[in-house]
Amino acid sequence: MATKPTIAIVGSGWAGFTLAHALSVTKYHVVVISPVRTVQYTPLLASAAAGMFDFRLAEEPVRRINRLPDLEFFKATVEDVDFAAKTLQCRPAVSNIADQHLADSHSFSVRYDKLVLTPGCSVQTFGTPGAVEHAHFLRTTDDARQIQQRLLEMLDAASTPGLTRTQQRDMLRILVVGGGAIGIEATAELSDLWQHHMRHLYAHLDVRDDDDKGELLSLEIHDVAPTILGTFDDRLAGYARKKLEDRGIEIKTSSHIEKVGEGAIWTKESGRIGYGMLIWATGNGVNPLVEKLDGVRKDGKLQRIVTDRRLRVRAADTEEVMPDVYALGDCADIEGASMPTLAEVAVQKAEYLARQLNQASLDGGASGPFEYKQRPNLAYLGQHDGVMGGQEEWTGHSAWLAWRSGSIYHWPRSWRRTLMIGISWVFNAVGGRDIARRW
């Protein structure tokens, strides 16, 4: 009896998850290796942090009963790839259990027939001292959970009797580093949470100073770029900035953060700025595995793996493609057709590659090369307001509706998840969010 070929997928992000569940398990044995056991629905993370719905609705597990035993998952980190031997060297990503039961040197290897590299990118901190130690990130549901808990701790700490206004103001200042869509949407969701819910629960903190320095709880966006939402055109970015500032959100562009400490950042322009919570949303950095890989062609600041239009990895220093090796997602880019690090690009590439592998036509069959179908670029601004760019440009309530419907219907790709999120919204409207109950 012939054994099915093994396809190893490194990573469980948008690309890896989509590919793993689109491949035919009648033709292939699929092995996914990732330090995260779920795909993270990044457009939903800020909403989850703000208590819109349960955190579990912002993720989806890789394992599926109906795809066993032909889809295996190992919660591990791939540390090296031997392309000649078609072997992955892995280490378990279960630190607490590993410390108790496994030797420090414990590792294992995975053999493959075809390899798909989708490890994504790391957090980009630009080497800012203290950022990793003190900032909150927004890349996983665990990050969203920690942000929500930090917010509640801030409000409770500021409620301690005997504090000065200056102490309260520093405790209740939320700094968001990064003026891209993730940073803007996190700011918008937290602003909505305070304005419509938490200020009523913490009415004693809903005050202004006598010298009118503004509300005690404040949000600031810092970005090293001269504008926010750099992927949108100037008109939409300008609209977004005005709307955010009208809602009391301070925006500091061309802001150079020199270091981060516990409870304060230092910028070149403004010196020391105290904070109660720091959210770091500055984009992508080079993935450690990609940085380490030898023999593959890499390009650009992110050192993304270079592929041809059929997503086959280019060998270093040659014009040849590497046999049975593919790359997609944020860690990869197509030679001569650079594309942004967007979830939609990763999903479309994964769907394309699954079709090709299922049809066994990667060597020049009937199907043509990958072509990206651009979708609208959306960002939420709070107060049922948003911006949408692309072939059509919308602002205001219509852009918010497009963003909200897209975030719960298109991305999760699950009727059950869409229904559960909708039910959560109904409960929120009737009784308030779980962290700000009306009764």
Side-chain angles (χ1 to χ4, degrees):
M1 182 176 178
T3 302
K4 289 184 292 188
T6 294
I7 296 182
I9 301 172
V10 179
S12 61
W14 291 100
F17 178 88
T18 302
L19 179 64
H21 289 275
L23 286 170
S24 171
V25 291
T26 62
K27 292 185 177 181
Y28 300 106
H29 178 71
V30 181
V31 178
V32 181
I33 307 106
S34 172
V36 182
R37 68 172 62 86
T38 61
V39 60
Q40 306 290 307
Y41 289 126
T42 45
L44 303 180
L45 292 177
S47 298
M52 288 286 289
F53 42 75
D54 188 270
F55 296 103
R56 289 176 296 175
L57 297 178
E59 63 181 354
E60 188 78 18
V62 174
R63 289 186 175 95
R64 285 288 193 281
I65 293 175
N66 67 340
R67 291 180 69 80
L68 296 175
D70 296 300
L71 192 156
E72 284 189 282
F73 172 78
F74 298 123
K75 192 173 187 295
T77 300
V78 176
E79 297 191 323
D80 203 2
V81 181
D82 187 333
F83 294 107
K86 291 192 171 184
T87 303
L88 304 174
Q89 195 65 29
C90 311
R91 186 174 299 278
V94 285
S95 56
N96 293 335
I97 301 297
D99 291 344
Q100 299 169 14
H101 298 281
L102 300 176
D104 290 340
S105 60
H106 183 87
S107 63
F108 62 95
S109 59
V110 174
R111 288 269 306 168
Y112 65 83
D113 296 292
K114 296 181 185 294
L115 173 64
V116 185
L117 297 168
T118 69
C121 291
S122 64
V123 176
Q124 175 61 275
T125 64
F126 304 103
T128 306
V132 172
E133 294 80 4
H134 301 295
H136 289 270
F137 302 94
L138 193 54
R139 299 171 70 91
T140 68
T141 51
D142 283 342
D143 294 337
R145 188 177 288 108
Q146 290 173 24
I147 287 172
Q148 184 182 109
Q149 185 61 32
R150 178 72 177 194
L151 176 65
L152 296 173
E153 290 292 324
M154 287 166 48
L155 293 167
D156 286 336
S159 301
T160 304
L163 297 179
T164 66
R165 285 288 190 240
T166 299
Q167 288 175 311
Q168 289 179 313
R169 188 172 292 281
D170 279 352
M171 287 180 182
L172 295 176
R173 183 179 293 113
I174 301 173
L175 302 181
V176 178
V177 179
I182 294 175
I184 296 299
E185 289 171 4
T187 304
E189 292 281 16
L190 291 173
S191 177
D192 282 354
L193 176 62
W194 169 251
Q195 295 294 336
H196 300 303
H197 301 274
M198 305 306 287
R199 70 186 311 163
H200 305 299
L201 193 62
Y202 291 84
H204 55 286
L205 299 177
D206 185 19
V207 297
R208 288 175 174 265
D209 285 344
D210 293 337
D211 55 1
D212 197 28
K213 290 182 179 178
E215 296 183 354
L216 285 180
L217 188 142
S218 62
L219 289 119
E220 290 182 16
I221 297 172
H222 288 253
D223 199 310
V224 69
T227 61
I228 61 171
L229 293 177
T231 58
F232 290 78
D233 69 26
D234 292 342
R235 185 185 74 83
L236 294 176
Y239 173 90
R241 178 163 190 157
K242 183 179 186 305
K243 288 293 185 176
L244 292 169
E245 289 177 336
D246 287 347
R247 294 174 189 132
I249 297 168
E250 189 169 359
I251 299 176
K252 296 185 176 181
T253 50
S254 301
S255 176
H256 298 79
I257 299 175
E258 296 177 324
K259 66 177 180 178
V260 176
E262 187 174 1
I265 65 170
W266 283 261
T267 71
K268 180 179 179 181
E269 293 76 18
S270 303
R272 182 187 183 278
I273 302 173
Y275 66 81
M277 177 162 59
L278 174 65
I279 299 175
W280 201 276
T282 54
N284 295 319
V286 181
N287 182 277
L289 174 63
V290 174
E291 187 174 26
K292 184 178 181 179
L293 286 180
D294 290 326
V296 304
R297 189 185 302 180
K298 292 174 270 188
D299 190 35
K301 291 182 179 180
L302 286 179
Q303 287 295 282
R304 300 171 76 185
I305 298 170
V306 177
T307 73
D308 67 0
R309 286 185 170 271
R310 296 181 185 274
L311 310 185
R312 299 173 295 189
V313 172
R314 291 283 191 191
D317 304 322
T318 73
E319 294 299 321
E320 301 299 320
V321 295
M322 302 179 69
D324 299 320
V325 182
Y326 314 94
L328 48 154
D330 291 349
C331 77
D333 207 5
I334 295 175
E335 185 177 35
S338 184
M339 295 179 187
T341 54
L342 297 175
E344 184 57 48
V345 176
V347 169
Q348 289 188 31
K349 283 186 175 182
E351 291 172 341
Y352 165 85
L353 185 59
R355 289 193 301 270
Q356 299 296 291
L357 288 168
N358 289 341
Q359 296 167 7
S361 60
L362 282 166
D363 295 324
S367 297
F370 171 76
E371 292 185 9
Y372 173 52
K373 297 177 182 178
Q374 187 171 4
R375 292 187 179 273
N377 200 8
L378 300 160
Y380 179 51
L381 306 177
Q383 304 279 335
H384 293 182
D385 194 359
V387 290
M388 185 180 84
Q391 294 181 347
E392 295 182 84
E393 293 187 354
W394 296 353
T395 59
H397 192 72
S398 58
W400 169 76
L401 286 174
W403 175 83
R404 183 63 83 192
S405 62
S407 64
I408 70 161
Y409 176 73
H410 176 68
W411 289 121
R413 299 170 188 265
S414 165
W415 66 266
R416 183 175 66 177
R417 187 170 307 277
T418 299
L419 179 61
M420 293 175 70
I421 290 175
I423 292 172
S424 297
W425 287 355
V426 172
F427 278 105
N428 291 345
V430 174
R433 305 183 190 188
D434 280 347
I435 56 175
R437 300 287 288 275
R438 294 196 183 111
W439 41 266

